Amino acid sequence: MSRPGLEHAVTEPDAPEAADATEAADAIEAPDATADDTAEAAAPGEGTADTAAAAAGKAAELSEAEAELAAQRELRARIEQRKAEKAAPIEAGTKLSGTAADLLAAVRAVESGEKSGTAFFDSPPRSAEGTSAALAPRRVAPAAAEPVRPRVPEPAGAPRTAAPETVDGVRAVLVEGGAPETLAGQVAETLGERAADILREDPWRLLSVPGVRPEQADGFARALLGTECGPGDERRTTALVAWQLEHTALQGHTALDSSAVRAALAERSVPDPDEAVQHAIAEGAVLVFQDGAPETEQAGDESESEQPAVPVLLGLDRYALAEESLADGLARLAKTGADTRWEAAEPTVLIRAVAASGLVVHTGGETARAEPVALAEAATELGLRAVIAVHSENGSRRLGGDAVTFSGLISGSQGPGRDADGALALDLLVVLDAPQLDVETAAMLVESMPDGSRLVLSGDPGVLWSAGAGRVFADVLAAGVCPQIASRMPDPGPIGELVSGIGIGELNQVEAPGKEVVIVPVRDAGEAVHRTVQLVADSVPRAIGVPAEHTQVITVGHGGSAGTRALNAALKQRLNPGPGRFGGFDPGDRVAYAPALGRTLVGSVVSADADGLHLDCEGTPVVVPKERVESSVRHGWALTAHQAAGMSWPAAVVVLPGDAAQGLSRPWVYTAFSRGERHLSVVHGVDQALPRAVAQIPSKDRTTRLRTLLEGLLAPAPNP
């Protein structure tokens, strides 16, 4: 069967109907096949869980995740102090506490195995129902005794594990209101020592716990307050405004148009959305922004009232603080003058740009990463302190272990450490995988840069944006406030040619004489799963020489008949069957561990004991506490494209069942197809949806403020 686009990438005779192991191998070994596409994981944060990997080590030494939490607290405290000194400080309101990792902790605790909460008026209050697992309170990071490198200290007054009596008081209120008592630890941590009283006075504060839905909070409030509350209760409407903004942050927005917030409130039976928004602003629960000038101005003698209005945006203070701090930090670096120390280096385009400006943007694909890496090597030869930071341990491994991860650099568990002022001890920071930077991570990195240092943001603009809020790399590119160097080093081979075409909206035909690209047509999701298992277990190892442990499956999402859950179950049964005696996992299982939102560690199960599940993640030992295993560890033979972003493997199998068509977009296809270094197999069942997605469906827009803030602080900079 012939399919449009890439028809001669690798032609395959009519796809075998029975599709046994030999036939799947024949599909790869055939001289020809059609090329296709991928479907996208629409919810980047789905299934990612909440917090920290407890690394093996001495009891007196901080784990990487704990040190990262401490670093975030200390840096946020510094940012807030600096903001307070400005003439117009950002007013803090009723904010949602906890790190991004902790904010996803209760998703499964609330939703897994529990029915949806009752509607506010239509159903009576329900009784408490159990959840899949109790959520353990966050552990306090122990004081580090003589650490190997400087670590960011935990500031006084930082949030700590709630006292047992506080948790007990919250548990009693939850039970009274028919809410799962397993949320008690999270509620106590979020609301503090008076959590029980606060929750009784304002039951909708339950919405500040991640995973709790408005209908569930409504049922809880009705059980506690009875006829004393209604759909227009100011406590309810304020909580709904904050919840709506936090919910959209999981979709990447750092702010939201006020009209969209009002519309969302109307859908939840709020009688006067305008008044609700005004009250939330007055209470400090949200902030209001009206940045910049209208995008277009009316010509002639038209009155000012006829010109388009500047959008009024609403946002939570945590993202506003991060975005404004990031803009200030980037402007500080961009204003850094020329550095004569670079004059002794070979004057490449990138070196000239870095010598002239403290902030430089570099774009290119996988092969182009060699240019910023060479820049760091040149800096070291000049006697400068240079650090390369990547999104994941997978990226560090591909560079021979010479790079640190974003999280490791922030926490101090990797990299040069910090000076007496808390700034990173470096002269040049090269950030690869920059599109994966969310606004909060980027703010912490930039805030840590010392005066006079250089920052190079490098990445491929065609890939999916970060799983966390913001679109940092795209906004800096669009603002044009610093030198931008576009690499001319294309990715080689048929895969590189295919992906380059996708980047400009074209699904081109490519020649693949070495079977670098293979298309395996399928009729339904069941056949897609069957053929995928055969490719990974038999065909790719036999025909391409890439073993199963070095082949990564990428699909559209976690759910569905050919999502990660279904594929991982089938792949485990074939590659590592077992009873799942360690909380569903066996030694040798391939896993994906999510210590924080947007960060995925791939590895394998080693063992389990009283401390938790022991993993080997790209050569790094990791221990996941047993209470975190269910919420933060999945089988990892199959990942979503968002999880796979910033990583690559010798071979990739991209699965596109028919029901994936609605999830396809150009960035998703680009990201998924570019994860294979030597080989790409596409299990294809989406027909015309693939070329249509590549040609017509660009990135889904995100509402952010960084570009406007940068343009207000800096004039556009000419390229060298």
Side-chain angles (χ1 to χ4, degrees):
M1 178 165 95
S2 177
R3 299 181 188 278
L6 304 177
E7 271 115 28
H8 300 91
V10 176
T11 11
E12 173 185 57
D14 290 340
E17 300 285 334
D20 62 10
T22 302
E23 291 171 319
D26 291 342
I28 288 185
E29 293 166 355
D32 237 357
T34 26
D36 284 333
D37 202 90
T38 9
E40 176 276 331
E46 181 190 348
T48 58
D50 75 312
T51 128
K58 297 180 181 178
E61 184 176 349
L62 288 174
S63 71
E64 175 186 340
E66 289 167 337
E68 183 178 348
L69 290 177
Q72 292 173 354
R73 295 178 188 130
E74 194 275 341
L75 288 173
R76 283 183 181 171
R78 288 176 53 210
I79 294 170
E80 290 172 356
Q81 181 180 1
R82 184 166 59 81
K83 288 291 181 184
E85 295 171 354
K86 289 190 171 184
I90 294 180
E91 185 176 354
T94 306
K95 63 192 277 190
L96 301 179
S97 306
T99 63
D102 290 328
L103 284 178
L104 288 181
V107 174
R108 288 190 180 180
V110 174
E111 296 179 344
S112 175
E114 182 183 2
K115 296 179 181 179
S116 174
T118 56
F120 188 82
F121 283 115
D122 297 337
S123 303
R126 62 179 183 187
S127 61
E129 295 176 6
T131 57
S132 59
L135 294 177
R138 188 169 50 208
R139 292 188 296 124
V140 179
E146 299 295 328
V148 175
R149 56 176 61 82
R151 296 181 185 272
V152 179
E154 186 175 11
R160 296 181 179 275
T161 302
E165 56 271 21
T166 302
V167 177
D168 291 341
V170 171
R171 183 178 293 109
V173 179
L174 292 174
V175 171
E176 182 181 345
E181 61 182 277
T182 50
L183 293 177
Q186 280 287 104
V187 174
E189 283 189 13
T190 301
L191 301 182
E193 294 181 0
R194 294 189 61 253
D197 293 336
I198 292 173
L199 204 58
R200 192 176 294 279
E201 296 167 2
D202 184 355
W204 287 283
R205 294 290 294 276
L206 189 65
L207 277 176
S208 61
V209 177
V212 177
R213 301 282 302 175
E215 56 268 23
Q216 295 166 329
D218 283 343
F220 177 68
R222 188 170 183 269
L224 289 181
L225 302 178
T227 58
E228 295 181 11
C229 61
D233 191 302
E234 291 181 342
R235 295 168 294 184
R236 177 179 189 258
T237 60
T238 298
L240 284 176
V241 171
W243 178 86
Q244 183 65 34
L245 293 172
E246 191 66 61
H247 182 68
T248 55
L250 295 177
Q251 302 169 8
H253 304 281
T254 60
L256 203 58
D257 194 295
S258 60
S259 61
V261 176
R262 291 194 297 271
L265 292 175
E267 291 178 357
R268 297 199 175 274
S269 303
V270 173
D272 191 340
D274 287 330
E275 182 181 348
V277 168
Q278 292 300 323
H279 180 75
I281 295 171
E283 289 292 307
V286 296
L287 304 178
V288 60
F289 311 100
Q290 198 166 16
D291 300 318
E295 295 183 0
T296 58
E297 295 184 0
Q298 303 292 333
D301 296 327
E302 293 178 319
S303 67
E304 182 178 348
S305 62
E306 295 175 336
Q307 296 185 11
V310 178
V312 176
L313 302 179
L314 301 177
L316 297 173
D317 57 353
R318 61 178 287 194
Y319 299 115
L321 183 67
E323 211 154 23
E324 296 199 8
S325 174
L326 176 58
D328 289 345
L330 291 173
R332 169 174 61 90
L333 293 173
K335 292 176 181 178
T336 303
D339 189 340
T340 58
R341 292 178 294 178
W342 290 89
E343 293 178 355
E346 180 183 354
T348 64
V349 174
L350 188 54
I351 286 179
R352 287 200 303 269
V354 172
S357 174
L359 176 63
V360 175
V361 174
H362 173 267
T363 60
E366 181 70 20
T367 303
R369 293 160 69 96
E371 294 175 341
V373 170
L375 172 72
E377 293 172 350
T380 301
E381 293 175 358
L382 294 174
L384 301 175
R385 302 166 298 174
V387 174
I388 301 173
V390 294
H391 175 59
S392 69
E393 283 75 0
N394 177 282
S396 178
R397 174 186 57 77
R398 296 188 340 253
L399 292 176
D402 294 331
V404 301
T405 62
F406 301 159
S407 60
L409 184 60
I410 290 171
S411 69
S413 63
Q414 298 175 339
R418 297 174 182 269
D419 59 25
D421 296 326
L424 293 169
L426 51 75
D427 299 300
L428 169 69
L429 176 60
V430 173
V431 174
L432 304 181
D433 310 316
Q436 302 311 308
L437 280 174
D438 63 87
V439 68
E440 291 184 299
T441 301
M444 286 187 284
L445 281 177
V446 172
E447 186 73 17
S448 299
M449 296 286 293
D451 291 338
S453 60
R454 260 61 180 157
L455 173 63
V456 176
L457 297 175
S458 177
D460 189 338
V463 300
L464 290 165
W465 292 333
S466 64
R471 52 175 189 185
V472 174
F473 192 61
D475 280 343
V476 175
L477 277 171
V481 294
C482 66
Q484 298 182 9
I485 309 300
S487 174
R488 297 184 179 181
M489 295 179 64
D491 289 337
I495 296 177
E497 182 182 352
L498 172 61
V499 172
S500 295
I502 293 171
I504 60 174
E506 299 176 357
L507 197 61
N508 297 320
Q509 298 177 0
V510 296
E511 297 294 334
K515 310 177 189 69
E516 294 89 349
V517 179
V518 170
I519 307 306
V520 182
V522 294
R523 294 166 298 183
D524 53 43
E527 186 181 0
V529 173
H530 184 63
R531 297 299 298 272
T532 299
V533 173
Q534 292 173 343
L535 286 165
V536 174
D538 297 313
S539 305
V540 172
R542 176 155 56 91
I544 309 300
V546 177
E549 59 267 26
H550 294 155
T551 300
Q552 183 61 55
V553 176
I554 300 171
T555 188
V556 296
H558 297 301
S561 52
T564 62
R565 296 188 186 97
L567 286 166
N568 277 319
L571 287 162
K572 174 174 172 55
Q573 184 178 10
R574 178 65 182 274
L575 298 173
N576 195 45
R581 57 196 180 100
F582 299 150
F585 301 96
D586 294 297
D589 276 358
R590 192 163 169 178
V591 295
Y593 168 50
L597 176 65
R599 184 180 174 218
T600 298
L601 305 181
V602 294
S604 60
V605 175
V606 176
S607 63
D609 55 25
D611 293 330
L613 192 65
H614 292 252
L615 310 178
D616 179 356
C617 296
E618 301 282 353
T620 301
V622 173
V623 181
V624 183
K626 57 184 179 180
E627 65 269 17
R628 301 296 193 187
V629 170
E630 181 182 358
S631 60
S632 62
V633 182
R634 292 177 178 269
H635 285 105
W637 287 282
L639 302 174
T640 67
H642 276 95
Q643 290 177 310
M647 297 186 277
S648 66
W649 296 265
V653 176
V654 177
V655 184
L656 300 174
D659 58 3
Q662 296 302 316
L664 290 174
S665 68
R666 185 188 306 159
W668 196 96
V669 176
Y670 186 99
T671 302
F673 277 32
S674 58
R675 297 309 95 191
E677 298 164 358
R678 292 170 46 194
H679 175 77
L680 168 67
S681 282
V682 180
V683 179
H684 175 46
V686 291
D687 294 322
Q688 297 296 322
L690 172 61
R692 183 167 57 250
V694 170
Q696 302 176 13
I697 307 179
S699 299
K700 186 176 181 180
D701 200 15
R702 295 183 176 186
T703 302
T704 63
R705 300 173 57 231
L706 181 59
R707 176 182 177 179
T708 302
L709 292 170
L710 286 173
E711 291 173 341
L713 292 169
L714 299 166
N719 280 318

